[in-house]
Amino acid sequence: MTGLSEVEIEPEVRSWLAQLSDGDFGRVDFLVGLLAEHAEDLGEPYTRHLGGKVRELRFPCYASRPGSPIGSPRDGG
């Protein structure tokens, strides 16, 4: 391992993260850590390659919570 990659977090995601329970936040933190450690080769179902060095972190959102920037399965997100 050569080090951790930088992970950018959009402001609306940062606000959403602040509202999560400790358990949900821990799950997100674990997945962000995977992305930081394996940025170049972490594929689906964890990330989607958007082009160049950009990857989108993906994980199930079991309940579309109020204020969630992450879509629910019902709306295609």
Side-chain angles (χ1 to χ4, degrees):
M1 187 167 111
T2 60
L4 298 177
S5 294
E6 180 178 343
V7 176
E8 291 185 26
I9 301 174
E10 297 296 325
E12 62 271 16
V13 175
R14 192 174 301 277
S15 295
W16 175 75
L17 287 170
Q19 298 174 29
L20 293 179
S21 68
D22 289 345
D24 287 340
F25 185 88
R27 176 168 168 72
V28 172
D29 185 51
F30 172 77
L31 293 169
V32 170
L34 277 180
L35 179 60
E37 290 176 14
H38 304 282
E40 295 183 17
D41 59 4
L42 185 64
E44 293 191 26
Y46 301 109
T47 68
R48 180 175 176 201
H49 185 241
L50 300 179
K53 294 184 177 183
V54 178
R55 290 190 174 273
E56 173 183 70
L57 184 62
R58 302 173 68 83
F59 55 93
C61 187
Y62 297 108
S64 186
R65 295 186 174 121
S68 173
I70 299 172
S72 71
R74 293 183 301 277
D75 65 14

